[in-house]
Amino acid sequence: MRVLSVVGARPQFVKLAPIARAMAGHADHLIAHTGQHYDHNMSDAFFADLGIPHPDFNLGVGSGKHGEQTGAMLAGLEKIIEDTAPDWVLVYGDTNSTLAAAVAAVKLHVRVAHLEAGLRSFNRRMPEEHNRVLTDHAADLLLAPTQVAMDHLATEGLAERSVLVGDVMTDVLYQVRDQVAGTPVDLATPVERGGYYVATIHRPDNTDDPARLRAIIDGIAKVGKPVVLLAHPRLRGLAERHGIELGAGSITVSEPVGYPQLVNAVVNSAGVITDSGGLQKEAFLLRVPCTTLRPETEWVETVELGWNVLVDRDFDALAATVERPRPADTDAAPYGTGQAAAAAVRALVER
Ligand code: UD1
């Protein structure tokens, strides 16, 4: 069996790591990188830190408007799929790289498996929501991370193509958590264990409107402990363009960090402030309280279990939410126990 994995953006490299390991001995596994993310600390560092094999192909597509970026990926991936003739194209998550690979493959009658299928925010302003819905409906096999995702797929008439495999981010997170346990926190700013927060902001809905971005930064600046803001290049670029100083009040600005450093920084922190999908869930799995700067979340379990609070408007009161007391402990495992990659590979082999 030959499987072509297509990735392009940071969260996809994290999901690829356990899959690449689980493929060994079961498939001829090829990796195509679209080049959507290209900075060293947004891309190569993840391959090196997580022991992911070097991509067999890199399209070097880079940044651009949605149509321009997705179109360049479609053209490049079509050629790679024709040349390699895989039995499956495996796509990850909800980025433009995901959608481009799914569309390129189905048009060539190559079967598509979608890892992290069935997530829904029901927010049609998010580019990722369109990428998910379109990919799920194009794909032949839907590898869902949670029962909630399975239920969404069933509602859309996709139950027969869906398999609950668990969440591969749990696999990689637990491995890396154990590797970094006991090592010092490696951030550019010196921090004290439990005495700081970790923040990330990158969603267009938060970064593109200067008034909203300013309100978010002002809100975070009032938090009573240091906040290390790991600034995605998109955030840095837009803040500069709008004349917004990111390093206000409690905030110290840092470059994005590698995955092991991130996991170590989160596990030793007092909490997380983010608009990232993955980080909300990582915070929950590490039992660190999270405040999410969005009107809704795909990872509803984190909210229902009390570890995640959504803040969408009242950023003046953000500090109080961030500094709330820790919730009651739970041993709930809605994201599986760390065996999802093996289950995903099994599902491909069986079909
Ligand atoms: C993309 C995904 C998003 C995912 C995120 C993870 C889409 C539509 N969005 O958003 O779902 O959560 O990745 O980070 O696919 N840039 C650099 N260097 C890089 C990468 C990006 O400077 O290596 C800058 C560029 O100015 C670029 C901007 O960041 O225009 C946005 O990058 P892009 O890949 O378009 O989207 P993300 O915001 O990263």
PDB file of all heavy atoms in Angstrom, residues 2 38 87 112 125 153 166 193 200 206 218 227 275 284 295 305 334:
ATOM      1  N   ARG A   2       0.574   2.168  -0.889  1.00  0.00           N
ATOM      2  CA  ARG A   2       1.320   3.441  -0.897  1.00  0.00           C
ATOM      3  C   ARG A   2       0.393   4.563  -0.418  1.00  0.00           C
ATOM      4  O   ARG A   2      -0.724   4.711  -0.928  1.00  0.00           O
ATOM      5  CB  ARG A   2       1.838   3.743  -2.299  1.00  0.00           C
ATOM      6  CG  ARG A   2       2.487   5.121  -2.377  1.00  0.00           C
ATOM      7  CD  ARG A   2       3.155   5.374  -3.692  1.00  0.00           C
ATOM      8  NE  ARG A   2       4.336   4.534  -3.839  1.00  0.00           N
ATOM      9  CZ  ARG A   2       5.010   4.392  -4.975  1.00  0.00           C
ATOM     10  NH1 ARG A   2       4.605   5.014  -6.053  1.00  0.00           N
ATOM     11  NH2 ARG A   2       6.069   3.637  -5.022  1.00  0.00           N
ATOM     12  N   TYR A  38       6.876  28.121   5.932  1.00  0.00           N
ATOM     13  CA  TYR A  38       8.230  27.979   5.382  1.00  0.00           C
ATOM     14  C   TYR A  38       9.298  28.535   6.300  1.00  0.00           C
ATOM     15  O   TYR A  38      10.465  28.225   6.144  1.00  0.00           O
ATOM     16  CB  TYR A  38       8.311  28.678   4.015  1.00  0.00           C
ATOM     17  CG  TYR A  38       7.624  30.026   4.048  1.00  0.00           C
ATOM     18  CD1 TYR A  38       8.301  31.168   4.433  1.00  0.00           C
ATOM     19  CD2 TYR A  38       6.256  30.118   3.790  1.00  0.00           C
ATOM     20  CE1 TYR A  38       7.636  32.386   4.527  1.00  0.00           C
ATOM     21  CE2 TYR A  38       5.594  31.333   3.882  1.00  0.00           C
ATOM     22  CZ  TYR A  38       6.284  32.457   4.247  1.00  0.00           C
ATOM     23  OH  TYR A  38       5.622  33.646   4.357  1.00  0.00           O
ATOM     24  N   ASP A  87      -2.180   4.700  -3.302  1.00  0.00           N
ATOM     25  CA  ASP A  87      -3.494   4.081  -3.045  1.00  0.00           C
ATOM     26  C   ASP A  87      -4.379   5.034  -2.249  1.00  0.00           C
ATOM     27  O   ASP A  87      -5.595   5.010  -2.380  1.00  0.00           O
ATOM     28  CB  ASP A  87      -3.298   2.785  -2.259  1.00  0.00           C
ATOM     29  CG  ASP A  87      -2.462   1.799  -3.049  1.00  0.00           C
ATOM     30  OD1 ASP A  87      -2.942   1.349  -4.101  1.00  0.00           O
ATOM     31  OD2 ASP A  87      -1.310   1.527  -2.646  1.00  0.00           O
ATOM     32  N   VAL A 112      -9.166   9.394  -0.917  1.00  0.00           N
ATOM     33  CA  VAL A 112      -8.718  10.396   0.058  1.00  0.00           C
ATOM     34  C   VAL A 112      -9.181   9.984   1.453  1.00  0.00           C
ATOM     35  O   VAL A 112     -10.346   9.637   1.651  1.00  0.00           O
ATOM     36  CB  VAL A 112      -9.329  11.780  -0.260  1.00  0.00           C
ATOM     37  CG1 VAL A 112      -8.983  12.791   0.820  1.00  0.00           C
ATOM     38  CG2 VAL A 112      -8.857  12.263  -1.617  1.00  0.00           C
ATOM     39  N   ARG A 125     -17.457  32.340   8.794  1.00  0.00           N
ATOM     40  CA  ARG A 125     -16.424  33.348   8.532  1.00  0.00           C
ATOM     41  C   ARG A 125     -15.027  32.738   8.556  1.00  0.00           C
ATOM     42  O   ARG A 125     -14.065  33.366   8.140  1.00  0.00           O
ATOM     43  CB  ARG A 125     -16.486  34.446   9.602  1.00  0.00           C
ATOM     44  CG  ARG A 125     -17.639  35.415   9.429  1.00  0.00           C
ATOM     45  CD  ARG A 125     -17.538  36.533  10.461  1.00  0.00           C
ATOM     46  NE  ARG A 125     -16.214  37.151  10.470  1.00  0.00           N
ATOM     47  CZ  ARG A 125     -15.819  38.092   9.614  1.00  0.00           C
ATOM     48  NH1 ARG A 125     -16.644  38.523   8.692  1.00  0.00           N
ATOM     49  NH2 ARG A 125     -14.610  38.599   9.700  1.00  0.00           N
ATOM     50  N   LEU A 153     -20.618  14.225  11.474  1.00  0.00           N
ATOM     51  CA  LEU A 153     -20.525  13.551  10.173  1.00  0.00           C
ATOM     52  C   LEU A 153     -21.821  12.802   9.870  1.00  0.00           C
ATOM     53  O   LEU A 153     -22.317  12.811   8.733  1.00  0.00           O
ATOM     54  CB  LEU A 153     -19.311  12.611  10.156  1.00  0.00           C
ATOM     55  CG  LEU A 153     -17.949  13.330  10.223  1.00  0.00           C
ATOM     56  CD1 LEU A 153     -16.820  12.339  10.496  1.00  0.00           C
ATOM     57  CD2 LEU A 153     -17.668  14.099   8.926  1.00  0.00           C
ATOM     58  N   GLY A 166      -9.859   8.342  17.347  1.00  0.00           N
ATOM     59  CA  GLY A 166      -9.217   9.103  18.432  1.00  0.00           C
ATOM     60  C   GLY A 166      -8.384  10.224  17.835  1.00  0.00           C
ATOM     61  O   GLY A 166      -8.346  10.412  16.621  1.00  0.00           O
ATOM     62  N   ARG A 193       8.217  28.840  37.398  1.00  0.00           N
ATOM     63  CA  ARG A 193       7.240  27.763  37.289  1.00  0.00           C
ATOM     64  C   ARG A 193       5.897  28.201  37.884  1.00  0.00           C
ATOM     65  O   ARG A 193       5.853  28.654  39.029  1.00  0.00           O
ATOM     66  CB  ARG A 193       7.788  26.554  38.051  1.00  0.00           C
ATOM     67  CG  ARG A 193       7.229  25.320  37.545  1.00  0.00           C
ATOM     68  CD  ARG A 193       7.989  24.081  37.919  1.00  0.00           C
ATOM     69  NE  ARG A 193       7.160  23.010  37.447  1.00  0.00           N
ATOM     70  CZ  ARG A 193       6.596  22.111  38.219  1.00  0.00           C
ATOM     71  NH1 ARG A 193       6.835  22.076  39.491  1.00  0.00           N
ATOM     72  NH2 ARG A 193       5.797  21.208  37.688  1.00  0.00           N
ATOM     73  N   THR A 200      -1.037  32.837  22.436  1.00  0.00           N
ATOM     74  CA  THR A 200      -0.852  32.864  20.980  1.00  0.00           C
ATOM     75  C   THR A 200      -2.118  33.455  20.348  1.00  0.00           C
ATOM     76  O   THR A 200      -3.223  33.203  20.825  1.00  0.00           O
ATOM     77  CB  THR A 200      -0.608  31.465  20.352  1.00  0.00           C
ATOM     78  OG1 THR A 200      -1.866  30.756  20.274  1.00  0.00           O
ATOM     79  CG2 THR A 200       0.389  30.629  21.134  1.00  0.00           C
ATOM     80  N   ASN A 206      -9.193  37.747  14.623  1.00  0.00           N
ATOM     81  CA  ASN A 206      -8.608  38.491  15.745  1.00  0.00           C
ATOM     82  C   ASN A 206      -7.504  39.451  15.319  1.00  0.00           C
ATOM     83  O   ASN A 206      -7.263  40.441  16.004  1.00  0.00           O
ATOM     84  CB  ASN A 206      -8.033  37.521  16.790  1.00  0.00           C
ATOM     85  CG  ASN A 206      -9.131  36.867  17.614  1.00  0.00           C
ATOM     86  OD1 ASN A 206     -10.233  37.403  17.725  1.00  0.00           O
ATOM     87  ND2 ASN A 206      -8.838  35.710  18.178  1.00  0.00           N
ATOM     88  N   ASP A 218      -4.815  44.995  24.785  1.00  0.00           N
ATOM     89  CA  ASP A 218      -5.046  45.768  26.018  1.00  0.00           C
ATOM     90  C   ASP A 218      -5.557  44.859  27.124  1.00  0.00           C
ATOM     91  O   ASP A 218      -5.169  44.996  28.288  1.00  0.00           O
ATOM     92  CB  ASP A 218      -6.081  46.885  25.777  1.00  0.00           C
ATOM     93  CG  ASP A 218      -5.498  48.022  24.940  1.00  0.00           C
ATOM     94  OD1 ASP A 218      -4.265  48.019  24.718  1.00  0.00           O
ATOM     95  OD2 ASP A 218      -6.286  48.887  24.497  1.00  0.00           O
ATOM     96  N   VAL A 227       2.909  37.483  30.769  1.00  0.00           N
ATOM     97  CA  VAL A 227       2.316  36.702  29.676  1.00  0.00           C
ATOM     98  C   VAL A 227       3.341  36.629  28.546  1.00  0.00           C
ATOM     99  O   VAL A 227       3.769  37.671  28.037  1.00  0.00           O
ATOM    100  CB  VAL A 227       1.028  37.368  29.136  1.00  0.00           C
ATOM    101  CG1 VAL A 227       0.437  36.535  27.994  1.00  0.00           C
ATOM    102  CG2 VAL A 227       0.002  37.561  30.239  1.00  0.00           C
ATOM    103  N   ASP A 275      -6.144  31.606  20.480  1.00  0.00           N
ATOM    104  CA  ASP A 275      -7.244  31.377  19.540  1.00  0.00           C
ATOM    105  C   ASP A 275      -6.935  30.160  18.669  1.00  0.00           C
ATOM    106  O   ASP A 275      -7.617  29.911  17.671  1.00  0.00           O
ATOM    107  CB  ASP A 275      -7.538  32.624  18.692  1.00  0.00           C
ATOM    108  CG  ASP A 275      -6.362  33.083  17.853  1.00  0.00           C
ATOM    109  OD1 ASP A 275      -5.331  32.375  17.800  1.00  0.00           O
ATOM    110  OD2 ASP A 275      -6.471  34.166  17.233  1.00  0.00           O
ATOM    111  N   PHE A 284      -5.866  21.446  27.798  1.00  0.00           N
ATOM    112  CA  PHE A 284      -6.748  20.530  28.528  1.00  0.00           C
ATOM    113  C   PHE A 284      -6.037  19.215  28.848  1.00  0.00           C
ATOM    114  O   PHE A 284      -6.084  18.725  29.978  1.00  0.00           O
ATOM    115  CB  PHE A 284      -8.022  20.251  27.711  1.00  0.00           C
ATOM    116  CG  PHE A 284      -8.804  19.089  28.244  1.00  0.00           C
ATOM    117  CD1 PHE A 284      -9.534  19.199  29.425  1.00  0.00           C
ATOM    118  CD2 PHE A 284      -8.779  17.865  27.591  1.00  0.00           C
ATOM    119  CE1 PHE A 284     -10.222  18.112  29.939  1.00  0.00           C
ATOM    120  CE2 PHE A 284      -9.454  16.773  28.097  1.00  0.00           C
ATOM    121  CZ  PHE A 284     -10.189  16.891  29.271  1.00  0.00           C
ATOM    122  N   PRO A 295     -15.586  33.190  19.486  1.00  0.00           N
ATOM    123  CA  PRO A 295     -16.991  33.058  19.876  1.00  0.00           C
ATOM    124  C   PRO A 295     -17.415  31.609  20.077  1.00  0.00           C
ATOM    125  O   PRO A 295     -18.447  31.346  20.709  1.00  0.00           O
ATOM    126  CB  PRO A 295     -17.756  33.672  18.698  1.00  0.00           C
ATOM    127  CG  PRO A 295     -16.806  33.660  17.544  1.00  0.00           C
ATOM    128  CD  PRO A 295     -15.413  33.695  18.107  1.00  0.00           C
ATOM    129  N   LEU A 305     -16.067  20.423  30.188  1.00  0.00           N
ATOM    130  CA  LEU A 305     -15.373  19.864  31.356  1.00  0.00           C
ATOM    131  C   LEU A 305     -14.784  20.954  32.254  1.00  0.00           C
ATOM    132  O   LEU A 305     -14.166  20.666  33.277  1.00  0.00           O
ATOM    133  CB  LEU A 305     -14.277  18.890  30.908  1.00  0.00           C
ATOM    134  CG  LEU A 305     -14.818  17.584  30.288  1.00  0.00           C
ATOM    135  CD1 LEU A 305     -13.736  16.858  29.503  1.00  0.00           C
ATOM    136  CD2 LEU A 305     -15.391  16.671  31.370  1.00  0.00           C
ATOM    137  N   PRO A 334     -11.843  12.547  26.415  1.00  0.00           N
ATOM    138  CA  PRO A 334     -12.595  12.637  25.162  1.00  0.00           C
ATOM    139  C   PRO A 334     -11.708  12.579  23.921  1.00  0.00           C
ATOM    140  O   PRO A 334     -12.209  12.375  22.817  1.00  0.00           O
ATOM    141  CB  PRO A 334     -13.288  14.004  25.264  1.00  0.00           C
ATOM    142  CG  PRO A 334     -12.452  14.794  26.209  1.00  0.00           C
ATOM    143  CD  PRO A 334     -11.900  13.801  27.190  1.00  0.00           C
TER     144      PRO A 334
END
